[in-house]
Amino acid sequence: MRARLTLALIVAGGVVLATVGILATATTAEGTPPSGYPDLRTVVPTHLNFVNQQQNEYLRFSNGIANTGSGPWALRPENELGLNPTTTAIQEIRSSNAKYLCGTQPKPDEPCYTLLDEEPVSIFEYHPTHNHWHTADVALFEVRQGSPDGPVIGSNSVKLGFCLIDLYKLEDNAPTKEKVFWDCYTSYQGISAGWVDQYHQSTDGQQVDLTGVPDATDYYLVSTTNPTGAFLEEDQTNNTAWVKFTLSSPSNGNRKVTVTGHSPCESPGLCGERSTNR
């Protein structure tokens, strides 16, 4: 089980971890996305459950981030692993989804990529206990009332950092057939084209505090990837997915969460049908 670090805790309270730069959605002169860029999408959250812990109430859920672009979401730290507790995160734009940089592949005929561009986009924070990097400002979790754009309820919005890897294929026809990003113990992390990185609902930080929120039938869990627009991608208008749910109180035991709907999605994978419960 991977651990995750909460890098920016309370957005509504004004605490936001700084990023290196805010970059616009990538387009060519003709207004179309250039080849080699990722497209970051939120998979409809799954495995919602309501738990009591130390007199607080939390909505827990699994969250997946998919890459539906033509190229990988590839990130590396500016400095070597372990030299500093934080360092700039550099995003690479690659010519293909190949695993190896041309000239470094183990066999001469092995597919390879060339580096088209690189930009400082965020911050890596090194976690000494877990011995790997977390990328800042990867996702924003909110619970809203009345509609996906309604007022935020609960303690506050929570902005999180992730360790990014290829966990499972979004669909069977993923353009990248094998995993390229395996772990966050080495320099590179990211999500290959056609793959998803998911955090299971049992992982620390995978929750929103709803202590004292009344029972109701019109709550929305809203999850947004790349919430600050820091990462280079093909399209920043398709980064949010939501789940509608109710809260109710049985005659005994914990309160109950019931999913009643979710945002439109273009494929079974983006609807969360391939989401793993582990």
Side-chain angles (χ1 to χ4, degrees), residues 76-250:
R76 75 172 196 269
E78 183 178 41
N79 299 315
E80 290 184 26
L81 182 71
L83 291 180
N84 297 290
T86 61
T87 187
T88 300
I90 307 295
Q91 182 176 352
E92 295 186 349
I93 305 302
R94 300 177 177 182
S95 63
S96 74
N97 289 292
K99 184 176 182 178
Y100 300 103
L101 178 67
C102 291
T104 67
Q105 63 267 48
K107 298 178 182 179
D109 58 348
E110 190 86 20
C112 66
Y113 68 86
T114 58
L115 191 60
L116 301 178
D117 192 15
E118 57 181 13
E119 297 286 348
V121 291
S122 186
I123 292 173
F124 276 145
E125 181 155 341
Y126 180 69
H127 197 290
T129 303
H130 306 137
N131 191 34
H132 64 214
W133 298 94
H134 296 264
T135 307
D137 294 350
V138 167
L140 176 67
F141 300 151
E142 300 170 304
V143 172
R144 294 178 176 269
Q145 188 168 19
S147 76
D149 299 317
V152 175
I153 64 167
S155 290
N156 282 299
S157 303
V158 181
K159 190 178 294 181
L160 298 172
F162 283 76
C163 155
L164 299 167
I165 63 170
D166 296 331
L167 187 64
Y168 69 88
K169 292 180 181 179
L170 179 64
E171 312 290 349
D172 286 328
N173 59 346
T176 309
K177 302 304 180 184
E178 298 181 354
K179 292 183 179 181
V180 173
F181 303 100
W182 290 85
D183 60 51
C184 299
Y185 300 96
T186 54
S187 294
Y188 281 95
Q189 61 176 274
I191 303 174
S192 297
W195 287 75
V196 178
D197 183 30
Q198 177 182 281
Y199 271 80
H200 186 257
Q201 54 89 11
S202 64
T203 307
D204 183 39
Q206 198 60 45
Q207 76 269 337
V208 175
D209 190 337
L210 294 184
T211 304
V213 169
D215 289 349
T217 60
D218 60 349
Y219 290 134
Y220 293 79
L221 168 63
V222 182
S223 176
T224 303
T225 188
N226 193 14
T228 66
F231 301 102
L232 290 167
E233 59 170 314
E234 293 178 359
D235 185 359
Q236 292 185 6
T237 67
N238 58 4
N239 293 12
T240 296
W242 52 262
V243 174
K244 184 179 181 181
F245 66 94
T246 67
L247 279 180
S248 59
S249 298

Side-chain angles (χ1 to χ4, degrees), residues 49-54 56-60 207-211:
N49 64 95
F50 206 69
V51 299
N52 287 295
Q53 184 177 347
Q54 297 178 342
N56 290 322
E57 296 178 307
Y58 298 97
L59 176 69
R60 302 193 64 87
Q207 76 269 337
V208 175
D209 190 337
L210 294 184
T211 304

Side-chain angles (χ1 to χ4, degrees), residues 28-40:
T28 65
E30 294 76 22
T32 57
S35 178
Y37 281 70
D39 190 18
L40 311 179

